[in-house]
Amino acid sequence: MKTVIKAAFFDLDGTMLDRDASVKQFIVKQYDRLEKFLSPISKRTYCERFIELDNHGYVWKDKVYTQLVEDYQIKGLTSEDLLEDYLTYFKEDCLPFPKLVEMLEQLKQNHLKLAIISNGYGRFQMDNILSLGIKSYFEVILISEWEGMKKPDQQIFQRAMMKLNMTPKECIFIGDHPKNDIIAAKQAGMETIWKRNDQWNDAKTNFIIDELIEIPQLITNLNKKKEFSSF
């Protein structure tokens, strides 16, 4: 009998957290909070330059803010001050992709075990998970800083499977990054679902979705196919 999917592993940024939308909302509010220091720069210029330097979250903010201070000769605020503001307030602007909670509810009703494997800083990422209100759905949450390893390192996938007592064939991984999520999870032996986005054209994946709510039915159909093919 073919092994059915019993666990779903999720990336966080760009998969459950709509990071690009969250950043756009946050950076406008940051400008407004600190306008007395930033007013020599137009709000539009500041926000657009931050988003450009941030590169969808793949450049850590200490470098982003150091460059901003240098670019615009910001007075009265250091890059450390701006970073502290980011660490303090970003969680207030976390926006989920549509129907995130509804999707997780359906997966739990279908008796799947759920885990998060996320690159990033531990407390920061956990604050964002708490802000989204989804922590209770997950039996395992691994964040790279706390684990001492990060995707695409195979060990972090293996650690998550071990904690859930699952084999690779019982697991499916959902993510947005073609290499760190999809290729890495496939190399770990899992099937994969790529959440399509505008940043990349393609991913070597088993399945592609545009909306999170597609996931429960996709897994249900996959398991029915596996069960049927075993006869």
Side-chain angles (χ1 to χ4, degrees):
M1 183 174 179
K2 289 196 176 180
T3 305
V4 297
I5 300 299
K6 298 178 181 178
F9 294 73
F10 286 85
D11 169 54
L12 179 61
D13 294 337
T15 301
M16 295 188 291
L17 171 69
D18 187 342
R19 193 184 175 283
D20 287 350
S22 301
V23 163
K24 288 177 183 176
Q25 180 169 287
F26 162 79
I27 199 62
V28 169
K29 291 184 179 180
Q30 181 176 66
Y31 184 95
D32 291 342
R33 272 193 302 275
L34 304 173
E35 187 174 9
K36 67 178 181 179
F37 303 105
L38 300 175
S39 56
I41 317 159
S42 75
K43 182 186 290 188
R44 179 174 179 177
T45 296
Y46 180 79
C47 294
E48 287 182 351
R49 182 60 173 150
F50 178 92
I51 290 167
E52 177 188 13
L53 292 168
D54 175 67
N55 189 28
H56 301 279
Y58 291 102
V59 178
W60 183 237
K61 290 340 132 249
D62 54 354
K63 295 180 180 178
V64 172
Y65 286 121
T66 296
Q67 191 64 52
L68 277 171
V69 169
E70 183 179 316
D71 284 353
Y72 302 112
Q73 295 298 297
I74 296 170
K75 307 298 182 186
L77 279 178
T78 65
S79 58
E80 289 81 5
D81 294 330
L82 290 164
L83 177 60
E84 185 60 33
D85 182 88
Y86 176 82
L87 295 173
T88 300
Y89 291 105
F90 183 82
K91 59 182 174 283
E92 296 181 7
D93 292 302
C94 287
L95 300 172
F97 281 106
K99 299 190 176 180
L100 169 60
V101 170
E102 182 179 340
M103 178 272 296
L104 295 173
E105 286 278 1
Q106 288 185 27
L107 292 180
K108 296 303 283 187
Q109 288 168 12
N110 292 341
H111 308 293
L112 267 79
K113 292 187 178 297
L114 305 181
I116 295 174
I117 305 176
S118 175
N119 287 351
Y121 288 87
R123 185 70 259 163
F124 181 78
Q125 293 294 68
M126 185 59 75
D127 283 345
N128 295 344
I129 291 165
L130 291 168
S131 177
L132 292 173
I134 60 173
K135 182 176 182 289
S136 63
Y137 291 97
F138 295 92
E139 283 91 345
V140 171
I141 297 174
L142 300 186
I143 302 171
S144 62
E145 182 197 16
W146 288 345
E147 300 305 317
M149 61 186 78
K150 66 179 182 177
K151 299 177 293 184
D153 188 333
Q154 294 297 293
Q155 291 183 74
I156 198 165
F157 295 92
Q158 292 161 3
R159 182 173 294 179
M161 287 187 281
M162 183 182 66
K163 285 179 177 289
L164 286 181
N165 194 27
M166 293 287 169
T167 67
K169 296 297 183 185
E170 295 174 309
C171 303
I172 197 162
F173 193 92
I174 301 98
D176 70 304
H177 195 289
K179 179 182 177 183
N180 294 345
D181 295 326
I182 302 305
I183 291 176
K186 285 180 76 70
Q187 289 174 343
M190 301 183 195
E191 296 200 58
T192 59
I193 300 173
W194 180 48
K195 188 176 186 303
R196 195 196 324 257
N197 60 54
D198 296 333
Q199 195 174 352
W200 294 284
N201 295 322
D202 195 15
K204 295 178 181 178
T205 185
N206 299 104
F207 306 99
I208 299 173
I209 60 165
D210 293 298
E211 302 293 338
L212 292 176
I213 200 61
E214 299 172 51
I215 294 169
Q217 191 62 54
L218 189 158
I219 295 175
T220 296
N221 292 344
L222 177 61
N223 281 343
K224 285 180 180 177
K225 185 178 179 180
K226 286 174 178 286
E227 289 169 347
F228 180 79
S229 66
S230 67
F231 291 105

